[in-house]
Amino acid sequence: MENKLPQTIEVIDLCLLAGKIMLQCGAETYRVEDTMTRIAASLGIPSSHSYVTPTGIIFSIDGTEPAKLIRIYDRTTDLYKVTVVNGISRKISSGEISANEAFKKLMDIEKANYTFPLYQQILAAAISSGCFLMMFLGQWKDFIPAIITGGLGFICFVYIHNLVKIKFFSEFMASVVIGLSAYILVSLGIGVQLDKIIIGSVMPLVPGLLITNAVRDLMAGHLVAGLSKGAEAFLTACAIGTGIAIVFAFY
Amino acid sequence: MIVHLITSFVATAAFAILFNAPKKTLFQCGFVGMAGWFVYICLVEYDYDAVLASFIAAFFIAIISQIFAKMYKTPIIIFSISGIIPLVPGGTAYDAMRHFVENDYNMAIQLAAKAFMISGAIAVGLVISEVLNQLILKIKFK
């Protein structure tokens, strides 16, 4: 169907699709804008305007064509897709593939699922919890408890996130589970330092990517995008904090 | 020190898996994280401030990430994001939250401000090295 559309609208769709995938996968705002402008420029539209926020993209090109808007609902971190889209945009710029081919490829990427299998992700979260414990000057005795709590927390996060599509709620529940299981392990005498175990196992949930992206966007002049990402990071941090705090409040 | 190096390597690589970085870059991600954490730990052990240490470590991470990004033709974000994960002030933020819960607001505000300063320092470190990179490129190609 794309072939019947006028050339410029096709370019807008292509740019928006590329931008949408990148934004959903956690690319920085300026990278999304840059990629869209570059694709448009290399397909013969030198002046285009884009307005990117974490929840939507507005893209327009000079001339009679109307501007188009795409709403972004959920955002994850999937650096693989960012890399692939980046590669495609490079190929378009160098003229290796045509707009139609690129559009088809992007459609495939949008549908595809490149994430690591779930058990590997849980394993990674658990192991990184243990490693963080050691980096924050914990003891080897607490290594296994941190792995257990970190793994449990991440499983809880993924499971609840599948049930309820509210990110902050699943983060909150995950940190409650982390706090509880860390407390149980310590009171059973398996773990020693409650604080260190919790810090280690909370790390996979901490919004590190969001915070740095927010400050970078702010400094690059994307004030709206920066502030809204900052708000998201703040909410996440609060959710984790309250989750742990509730456990502390009870004992 | 060896424990720090190994754990930071493993932790960063594990985080790269969580962020779904391409499989062939996992090793490099781990290396970036290890290098950054090494710089940070060295500076902290010589009694530098945590904020300054984070700044320098983030700067260092961004430089390595840029080199890797050129070498492997991938966006720089893959390496820099995984690399800074060890520096993110999760522990300080947690401590702050805990003091808030315990009604010890003085300490809590102090710690929260510190966590904010550290995350600011990380971002500034990343941005400055990016600006430097662009400056160097511009001077080269003129």
Side-chain angles (χ1 to χ4, degrees), chain B:
Chain B
M1 184 49 91
I2 291 168
V3 171
H4 271 294
L5 287 181
I6 296 171
T7 50
S8 58
F9 183 87
V10 177
T12 316
F15 251 92
I17 292 179
L18 286 183
F19 288 157
N20 197 25
K23 268 186 195 126
K24 53 182 185 203
T25 62
L26 287 184
F27 186 76
Q28 289 86 328
C29 288
F31 180 77
V32 174
M34 186 177 80
W37 186 249
F38 179 72
V39 171
Y40 176 80
I41 280 291
C42 285
L43 287 173
V44 168
E45 263 177 22
Y46 278 100
D47 278 339
Y48 280 94
D49 188 44
V51 177
L52 185 67
S54 309
F55 168 72
I56 296 173
F59 184 72
F60 192 64
I61 285 171
I63 290 176
I64 304 178
S65 313
Q66 268 159 5
I67 297 170
F68 277 170
K70 288 243 165 62
M71 274 168 67
Y72 298 99
K73 290 211 164 76
T74 45
I76 179 175
I77 181 176
I78 289 177
F79 303 111
S80 59
I81 288 298
S82 329
I84 57 149
I85 281 295
L87 301 176
V88 168
T92 321
Y94 165 79
D95 271 348
M97 203 63 211
R98 199 182 157 176
H99 282 95
F100 270 120
V101 176
E102 289 166 351
N103 283 335
D104 185 0
Y105 291 108
N106 280 330
M107 199 61 209
I109 298 273
Q110 271 184 35
L111 286 170
K114 198 180 168 198
F116 183 74
M117 287 289 287
I118 290 177
S119 47
I122 294 172
V124 173
L126 291 179
V127 170
I128 285 188
S129 85
E130 212 152 284
V131 170
L132 272 184
N133 183 35
Q134 279 171 14
L135 274 181
I136 292 170
L137 282 181
K138 258 188 196 157
I139 293 167
K140 248 190 208 166
F141 287 112
K142 249 179 192 173

Side-chain angles (χ1 to χ4, degrees), chain A:
Chain A
M1 195 184 113
E2 293 89 46
N3 296 333
K4 288 172 193 160
L5 292 169
Q7 180 68 29
T8 40
I9 290 185
E10 195 182 298
V11 173
I12 294 182
D13 283 343
L14 178 66
C15 292
L16 272 178
L17 186 62
K20 184 188 171 195
I21 297 174
M22 288 184 88
L23 198 58
Q24 273 181 340
C25 297
E28 311 99 301
T29 313
Y30 77 85
R31 183 182 297 282
V32 176
E33 289 190 353
D34 187 56
T35 307
M36 292 198 301
T37 321
R38 268 171 206 237
I39 293 178
S42 53
L43 292 176
I45 297 157
S47 62
S48 57
H49 306 277
S50 54
Y51 180 69
V52 180
T53 71
T55 47
I57 305 175
I58 303 174
F59 185 75
S60 96
I61 53 179
D62 281 356
T64 52
E65 304 302 332
K68 268 196 151 187
L69 164 77
I70 275 193
R71 176 84 167 86
I72 309 284
Y73 288 100
D74 48 72
R75 296 171 294 282
T76 49
T77 306
D78 188 342
L79 295 179
Y80 186 76
K81 280 190 185 177
V82 175
T83 317
V84 176
V85 176
N86 205 59
I88 288 179
S89 115
R90 261 170 218 255
K91 273 183 193 157
I92 296 173
S93 311
S94 62
E96 272 177 53
I97 52 177
S98 71
N100 274 328
E101 273 176 76
F103 194 78
K104 265 177 213 141
K105 274 193 181 170
L106 285 176
M107 291 289 263
D108 291 341
I109 292 170
E110 198 195 9
K111 278 180 210 132
N113 182 15
Y114 296 109
T115 48
F116 283 87
L118 191 60
Y119 75 93
Q120 280 184 11
Q121 288 184 34
I122 293 170
L123 210 65
I127 289 173
S128 71
S129 303
C131 289
F132 274 115
L133 173 91
M134 293 315 293
M135 285 159 70
F136 292 132
L137 307 174
Q139 308 167 346
W140 279 112
K141 259 185 173 175
D142 289 341
F143 190 70
I144 304 286
I147 283 184
I148 297 171
T149 47
L152 276 178
F154 193 75
I155 291 171
C156 178
F157 173 69
V158 173
Y159 183 68
I160 296 182
H161 194 64
N162 282 343
L163 287 180
V164 196
K165 286 281 171 207
I166 305 171
K167 203 177 141 219
F168 306 113
F169 182 70
S170 36
E171 273 154 359
F172 168 75
M173 288 311 290
S175 56
V176 170
V177 167
I178 287 175
L180 266 182
S181 49
Y183 178 63
I184 293 170
L185 284 174
V186 169
S187 53
L188 286 177
I190 302 169
V192 186
Q193 291 165 297
L194 182 63
D195 272 5
K196 302 271 185 211
I197 297 177
I198 292 181
I199 292 178
S201 16
V202 151
M203 281 307 277
L205 303 175
V206 166
L209 174 76
L210 273 172
I211 295 176
T212 17
N213 264 358
V215 182
R216 278 176 101 181
D217 277 342
L218 279 178
M219 277 195 250
H222 297 276
L223 300 179
V224 177
L227 282 182
S228 44
K229 272 185 196 164
E232 195 182 355
F234 180 74
L235 271 177
T236 308
C238 274
I240 297 172
T242 11
I244 299 290
I246 279 185
V247 176
F248 273 124
F250 274 113
Y251 94 92

